[in-house]
Amino acid sequence: MSTDATLVFATSDKGGTGRSVTSCNVAYRLCLRGLDVAYVDFDFGSPTAGALFEIGGAERGVTEGQGLHSYLLGETGEPQRLIISRETDRAQLRRATPGAGRLVLLPGDVGGAEFGCDEAIVARAVALLANLLSEFAVVIVDLSAGRSAALEIALWATASTMPARRAQHWLVFHRWTREHVLAAGGLVHGPHGLIQTGALFGHDREELLASTRCVRTAVAGSDRTRTMDPAQAAWLNEQSKALRELATAEGIGAAMVLGQTPIEPMLQWREQLILDADVNARLADLATVEAYTDLARRLTDSATWDIE
Ligand SMILES: Nc1ncnc2c1ncn2[C@@H]1O[C@H](COP(=O)(O)OP(=O)(O)OP(=O)(O)O)[C@@H](O)[C@H]1O
Ligand SMILES: [Mg+2]
């Protein structure tokens, strides 16, 4: 196993938080920096990562019993891998970028459903992740929303020394709204949440918390208030302040935040990678790409995780 490989779990309490879109864009930014990245679709109830990467025929997972569902259930020894630059329908993604790393998707099975968490499944997850970590610099695992079997499998699989605890990171994605902040706080600190469930499987609470960060998605920029009615702008500023206070009270305040993404018009219409070409064509905002680049940098910066 490569000693400096990084394992990232993407979680959220609610669905539709931007967990997958943000994670795949961060994966892409890491790959542009020359890192080999594996994107692992553990969203068992809705394995649609293929759609994000625009892989025709794999938008809802793969057929032939070669996806992650089949692998984890012991029905195939080797889950299918899709090399994005080869399989994507997006012409700009197929062009080789000098210095870029490999970006590989491990998709779920078409029609695959949620399943439970038992010792055999976890053993297969451990073998899979160890194998990927020996080959890729970063492995990003997109987990089903909520207190799911996927989250349990991930926590159980990583509770021992696989990989070194300091090289595993847990990201909790949430929208910047009252309900989402409450939900995300609950997922981190609440009953049956990340820390409590992790501790049950043998994780050290302090270490697990130290390897957890939140990502606030689609946050409205304060510049928007300039064009608003003053009453509306004042109300929004008040709400922003209240949200910051709520996040702190919920234990997911500024110190726990890895970063945030702005509202991106392209993503309001379509789940996809935002390429530099999209910014150059003025289809996407530069601030969006900057946010993903920043998240990618912080994720792999040891200073983020207080690692000497
Ligand atoms: N920064 C953004 N600005 C605007 N829309 C966004 C942004 N990020 C994500 N979205 C949109 O929000 C929706 C939900 O995002 P996504 O599918 O990534 O969430 P998710 O948490 O993975 O959801 P699920 O639980 O269904 O898997 C998508 O339509 C996506 O395009
Ligand atoms: Mg998703």
Side-chain angles (χ1 to χ4, degrees), residues 12 15-21 39 41 43 46 48-49 52 142-145 271:
S12 65
T17 58
R19 185 183 72 251
S20 305
V21 164
Y39 190 95
D41 194 355
D43 188 348
S46 180
T48 51
L52 293 170
D142 184 5
L143 301 173
S144 308
E271 298 78 8

Side-chain angles (χ1 to χ4, degrees), residues 2-307:
S2 125
T3 48
D4 51 3
T6 302
L7 179 57
V8 181
F9 292 99
T11 72
S12 65
D13 190 60
K14 295 201 164 283
T17 58
R19 185 183 72 251
S20 305
V21 164
T22 310
S23 300
C24 81
N25 273 285
V26 169
Y28 176 64
R29 293 288 142 192
L30 289 166
C31 155
L32 287 184
R33 273 186 20 202
L35 299 172
D36 288 340
V37 183
Y39 190 95
V40 185
D41 194 355
F42 266 32
D43 188 348
F44 300 129
S46 180
T48 51
L52 293 170
F53 296 107
E54 302 183 52
I55 301 176
E59 289 101 336
R60 279 175 284 230
V62 288
T63 50
E64 318 289 340
Q66 294 285 300
L68 287 171
H69 293 78
S70 300
Y71 169 77
L72 289 169
L73 292 169
E75 292 158 8
T76 179
E78 195 61 54
Q80 195 169 337
R81 293 176 175 205
L82 300 171
I83 300 169
I84 305 302
S85 60
R86 233 184 261 168
E87 307 286 345
T88 182
D89 295 330
R90 201 155 174 205
Q92 292 141 320
L93 265 180
R94 296 176 75 92
R95 277 182 220 128
T97 308
R102 283 184 305 150
L103 182 54
V104 172
L105 167 67
L106 279 84
D109 289 88
V110 165
E114 285 285 355
F115 47 81
C117 167
D118 63 31
E119 221 161 307
I121 289 173
V122 171
R124 290 182 203 109
V126 168
L128 172 74
L129 296 175
N131 188 21
L132 292 172
L133 287 166
S134 69
E135 209 185 311
F136 294 87
V138 184
V139 176
I140 299 181
V141 187
D142 184 5
L143 301 173
S144 308
R147 292 155 186 75
S148 58
L151 180 62
E152 279 189 24
I153 292 169
L155 283 166
W156 190 350
T158 52
S160 56
T161 52
M162 200 295 308
R165 284 185 188 152
R166 296 188 134 202
Q168 50 175 283
H169 307 311
W170 299 79
L171 300 184
V172 177
F173 292 83
H174 65 88
R175 296 271 164 153
W176 192 227
T177 69
R178 190 176 150 70
E179 206 177 318
H180 275 256
V181 169
L182 286 167
L187 183 66
V188 177
H189 302 285
H192 308 294
L194 191 62
I195 304 301
Q196 196 184 82
T197 309
L200 278 179
F201 285 125
H203 278 269
D204 179 277
R205 280 171 179 268
E206 299 297 316
E207 279 194 28
L208 189 53
L209 191 59
S211 54
T212 302
R213 292 289 182 281
C214 294
V215 179
R216 300 171 178 172
T217 59
V219 179
S222 51
D223 51 330
R224 288 183 69 207
T225 54
R226 267 190 240 132
T227 53
M228 283 177 185
D229 183 275
Q232 196 183 24
W235 186 85
L236 279 181
N237 284 333
E238 233 171 75
Q239 296 310 309
S240 293
K241 184 167 171 273
L243 273 179
R244 283 195 299 274
E245 286 168 4
L246 181 64
T248 303
E250 287 295 312
I252 55 170
M256 282 287 288
V257 177
L258 185 73
Q260 64 178 46
T261 65
I263 294 175
E264 166 53 54
M266 265 187 125
L267 296 176
Q268 287 184 304
W269 295 92
R270 197 168 200 271
E271 298 78 8
Q272 62 171 72
L273 293 180
I274 302 291
L275 310 184
D276 293 344
D278 297 321
V279 176
N280 295 338
R282 306 177 82 97
L283 298 175
D285 294 335
L286 177 61
T288 307
V289 162
E290 286 175 344
Y292 292 139
T293 306
D294 201 43
L295 283 169
R297 184 185 55 73
R298 288 193 201 180
L299 191 58
T300 48
D301 183 356
S302 56
T304 303
W305 310 100
D306 294 329
I307 300 167

